Amino acid sequence: TEGQNVELKCSCENCQPIKKYSWKRKDMSKIQHKIKTFNDLDKNYFEVILKIQKSGEADEGVYECSMGNAIGKDTAEVEVSVEYPPRTLKIVVNDQKLTEVKRKFIIEEFKDFELECIGQANPIPDISWTKNGESVGNGNKLKLLQSKMSEHDGVYRCTIQNSLNSIAKDIHVKVQIKPFTVIDNKLSIEIKENQDVSLYCDINGSPEPKIFWNLNSIPLNTQSHNINGKHLKFNGNKNN
């Protein structure tokens, strides 16, 4: 487990006198830890010990011990695997990494998108996804097809967990939809002269759309008409 002290021992019997000995990593990276020896001439025994202090992820790998005397030499290998809890968790959306500042992703309606959860841990962790607290999948990738505001809008959480610990990260997915409008379900209405008229524009969109009122393709102004967002009120005279 990460942080523990580890001793790798390599020994031989009936091999004295040993002239050369070494510990090295198969990837040829430099060993930063101490090597000590134990020599028992009476029993014709020799031992080389590699002491790894406060083991960490950087100490993982295959180590090779070598010993040689006047007759020849021999080698032995051992693989070191360090267990550590999940860390360095990040979420990638459509191959775009989210920063610590940006935790919100906007996707157009009916577009496919993929969330990927990337983290380091040993033993290999279990990965799960929730949306607004409800389970939506397992594994490092979550693919959502034909995104819809009602189905896919929300806060997604990726959790990675092994026997040592668990960590999680959130992302807010916002599905952006094009504005669509309905004016009281009527395309044409008839009014009497000087009749007060109230029109309501039922418009929806994400993000919230800006609303403009036109008369014969000419923008209306608030001096001649009472305009309040989705609501339009005016008096039905010939000038209006």
Side-chain angles (χ1 to χ4, degrees), residues 107-234:
I107 185 75
E108 291 183 22
E109 192 177 29
F110 306 125
K111 296 287 187 179
D112 299 342
F113 69 99
E114 182 179 77
L115 304 178
E116 183 178 6
C117 191
I118 301 174
Q120 295 177 310
N122 189 25
I124 296 174
D126 295 321
I127 302 177
S128 60
W129 292 91
T130 61
K131 172 181 169 282
N132 298 333
E134 299 291 332
S135 176
V136 291
N138 296 295
N140 67 312
K141 292 184 178 181
L142 181 66
K143 192 163 187 176
L144 302 173
L145 304 177
Q146 293 289 302
S147 58
K148 297 179 181 178
M149 186 175 181
S150 58
E151 296 180 15
H152 300 131
D153 211 80
V155 177
Y156 291 78
R157 169 169 289 187
C158 164
T159 302
I160 64 174
Q161 179 177 4
N162 66 8
S163 57
L164 301 176
N165 201 3
S166 67
I167 57 175
K169 182 167 285 190
D170 294 344
I171 172 179
H172 183 193
V173 173
K174 186 70 175 176
V175 179
Q176 191 174 59
I177 63 175
K178 295 179 180 179
F180 59 93
T181 62
V182 177
I183 303 180
D184 288 341
N185 297 321
K186 296 180 180 180
L187 297 179
S188 178
I189 59 174
E190 292 185 2
I191 62 173
K192 296 179 181 180
E193 189 174 10
N194 295 321
Q195 177 183 341
D196 290 333
V197 179
S198 177
L199 298 180
Y200 176 74
C201 179
D202 186 5
I203 185 168
N204 294 281
S206 177
E208 186 73 23
K210 293 181 179 180
I211 301 173
F212 302 92
W213 288 91
N214 297 321
L215 175 61
N216 297 327
S217 300
I218 300 175
L220 298 176
N221 58 67
T222 55
Q223 294 179 352
S224 59
H225 295 78
N226 185 350
I227 300 175
N228 183 15
K230 296 182 179 182
H231 295 270
L232 171 65
K233 294 180 181 181
F234 60 94

Side-chain angles (χ1 to χ4, degrees), residues 5-12 18 20-24 31-40 45-53 64-67:
N5 297 333
V6 179
E7 288 190 352
L8 304 181
K9 295 182 180 181
C10 182
S11 61
C12 70
I18 293 294
K20 292 182 178 181
Y21 59 85
S22 68
W23 273 104
K24 67 179 182 180
I31 292 179
Q32 303 291 343
H33 305 288
K34 293 181 179 180
I35 297 176
K36 70 175 186 178
T37 61
F38 175 75
N39 193 359
D40 190 335
Y45 178 84
F46 188 82
E47 186 176 75
V48 185
I49 304 170
L50 175 62
K51 301 186 71 174
I52 301 176
Q53 302 290 331
E64 180 184 89
C65 170
S66 174
M67 291 187 190

